[in-house]
Amino acid sequence: QVQLVESGGGLVQPGGSLTLSCVVSGLLDYYSIGWFRQAPGNEREGVSCLSVRDGRSLYSDSLNGRFSVARDSAKGTIYLQMADLKPEDTAVYYCAVEVQGDYDCVPLLRSPAGMDHWGKGTLVTVSS
């Protein structure tokens, strides 16, 4: 079965850095893989999306260049590197994959419902 397992969340001070990992298993391939987050009382929003076909990554405009993604194909792992963290970054962070090729990263980043498989999430808390 398909499994996505996030890790690396925790408590970090404002201005600090944190790297999240997502291990994908039970899946031969996927078209896109992305990171999403949801804060209490907020809708789930897109953070980043990586298109496997062309290797391009898209980011939410609100991040102001503070986040970046990387993929290790051999390990089946994608990373989200976060820097200059702010209290408003506090949320549960999820990784997800799109396997049918119905959408590319542009609509997927705006519409998380288009993703096909989700992890259970990892909590990031930014507080002093």
Side-chain angles (χ1 to χ4, degrees):
Q1 60 182 21
V2 178
Q3 288 186 303
L4 288 78
V5 181
E6 304 96 335
S7 62
L11 177 64
V12 61
Q13 294 183 339
S17 300
L18 199 65
T19 298
L20 306 181
S21 301
C22 175
V23 179
V24 181
S25 62
L27 189 62
L28 183 62
D29 204 355
Y30 45 84
Y31 287 91
S32 302
I33 184 166
W35 287 96
F36 302 81
R37 67 184 183 184
Q38 186 168 18
N42 290 1
E43 296 182 351
R44 188 169 299 185
E45 63 176 345
V47 174
S48 179
C49 182
L50 186 153
S51 175
V52 175
R53 286 175 288 184
D54 58 20
R56 296 181 180 180
S57 296
L58 298 179
Y59 300 90
S60 171
D61 292 337
S62 65
L63 298 176
N64 296 317
R66 297 180 296 115
F67 291 9
S68 64
V69 297
R71 187 168 73 108
D72 188 330
S73 297
K75 296 182 178 180
T77 304
I78 186 171
Y79 305 92
L80 178 66
Q81 185 173 354
M82 305 180 291
D84 192 24
L85 286 163
K86 306 178 184 300
E88 52 264 40
D89 294 318
T90 296
V92 176
Y93 284 73
Y94 302 88
C95 66
V97 294
E98 202 279 334
V99 301
Q100 296 179 323
D102 297 330
Y103 312 98
D104 60 23
C105 278
V106 174
L108 287 172
L109 196 63
R110 299 173 59 187
S111 302
M115 306 301 288
D116 296 311
H117 302 283
W118 292 83
K120 294 182 178 180
T122 184
L123 176 63
V124 174
T125 302
V126 184
S127 179
S128 58

